[in-house]
Amino acid sequence: MRTPSRWQRLKDVVLSTDPRRRTLVGMALLALVLMMASAGVMLLVAHSDPATDPTFVQWWAAMSVGGLVVMTAFIRSGETVHLSDPSLTIPQMVWTITSGAVAYVLAGDARGLVPSVLAMILFFGTFGLTMAEVIGIGVYALVAFGCAIGVSARFSANPYGYLDTAYALMVMIVLGGCVALNLRIQRIRARLHEQRAALARALEVNRELATRDELTGLINRRAMQDLMELERRRNARSGRPLLLAQLDIDLFKRINDQHGHATGDRALQAFAGVVRASVRDTDVLARWGGEEFVLMLCDTQPDDGRELLERIRLAVAAMEIPHATGTLRLTVSAGLAQHLPGQPLEHTLERADQALYTAKALGRNRVVLAPAGTRPAAGAAAATFNART
């Protein structure tokens, strides 16, 4: 196993090894770096502008950066994972907007720097918010900076002039523009979410169509082959018995010829419903083609499988399917074979098929179990399997 580099180990210590938490901590650290940069600019202004009180700015910088440091540490600890807002986006934005409003008051003649910082805050933080939260944050920012503008005008040593008006207007323009743009982004995100949901539903429908028989709702032959192959591998590892049964509705062509294909379709649906109601949840029934069905019985002994097929045969014989001229009754013949370890699945299916033909030859409406030691003739099994698939 490759040893992590020193840089990778440092990242794991700072960001955590949990993928989701790494993302949250990374975003929080980015917000912290941006706040530190803004605090650095304000400290530079305080150092250069004699009208600005450096003590107030230093306290402001310490509080602003310190608040985000605490939130970042809280996120890194993992204590926020179970919260509805694990990234603490709203607390971080409220804190930084409040900090920005205070900075507007403290910056004096350099307060024109604040709108750019405000825009960065609003753009950075609102991508993970809902529409209502974006509006709420926008309203809070308008109120906070409205108060800051009022306080700045009230306590400024210089008379209120056109530059102060320009700064105030710029703050309101930036706030309004940011809120409007973020609402637009939220609408785009909502539309994309709807499109993804619609695409997921369409893919699920296509997947169902690809693996399900439309008439009976059973899985189709292709899906059944995949499941049988998975079960064959599991059987080879565990040694548990695996049975395959071929079921065929007796004289089904006569039903279509005498009563029409619509009645035949109803008969197939009724048959599938009765068989599904008779088997266990772990058993798998598939429509193999026409009136033929394949039943896979996992972890089932041959005698138990034969008993189950007998119950199915009796349940099918007891069915009554109404149609235009009376009531239709069905019978089913079944051939059952146990899968032999090391043998291909097509051999097992062919043995079940041969047992089915034996049941037909013996008069139909019966279950025949294939002898465990028999194998189909070489080449015949594969040819029959390929022809059916």
Side-chain angles (χ1 to χ4, degrees), residues 346-347 350 376-389:
E346 53 263 30
H347 287 185
E350 179 63 18
T384 302
F385 182 80
N386 294 330
R388 292 187 171 196
T389 57

Side-chain angles (χ1 to χ4, degrees), residues 344-361:
L345 280 172
E346 53 263 30
H347 287 185
T348 307
L349 279 171
E350 179 63 18
R351 289 171 49 233
D353 207 26
Q354 290 175 354
L356 171 63
Y357 289 139
T358 300
K360 295 281 190 181

Side-chain angles (χ1 to χ4, degrees), residues 211-220 272 276 285-287 293:
T211 60
R212 293 282 173 182
D213 173 61
E214 186 176 0
L215 178 64
T216 61
L218 303 175
I219 63 171
N220 59 24
R276 278 190 296 189
L285 178 67
R287 187 180 180 189
F293 298 79

Side-chain angles (χ1 to χ4, degrees), residues 269-339:
Q269 291 170 335
F271 174 83
V274 165
V275 176
R276 278 190 296 189
S278 303
V279 300
R280 303 166 301 181
D281 292 338
T282 55
D283 302 329
V284 184
L285 178 67
R287 187 180 180 189
W288 202 246
E291 70 275 18
E292 291 185 63
F293 298 79
V294 168
L295 178 63
M296 180 170 66
L297 305 174
C298 306
D299 196 14
T300 305
Q301 296 295 336
D303 289 343
D304 295 332
R306 182 168 186 169
E307 182 180 341
L308 174 62
L309 288 175
E310 283 290 346
R311 291 201 301 270
I312 291 173
R313 184 185 66 81
L314 294 174
V316 170
M319 280 195 314
E320 294 184 353
I321 304 172
H323 61 93
T325 59
T327 300
L328 180 66
R329 290 184 175 275
L330 303 177
T331 60
V332 62
S333 299
L336 178 66
Q338 181 176 2
H339 177 68

Side-chain angles (χ1 to χ4, degrees), residues 11 13-16 18-32 71-78 80 86-87 92:
K11 287 173 62 178
V13 170
V14 174
L15 300 177
S16 142
D18 180 75
R20 183 164 182 250
R21 201 188 309 174
R22 285 174 73 95
T23 301
L24 298 179
V25 175
M27 296 298 290
L29 285 175
L30 179 56
L32 177 59
M71 292 186 204
T72 302
F74 197 41
I75 294 170
R76 173 60 181 84
S77 70
T80 66
S87 61
Q92 287 187 75

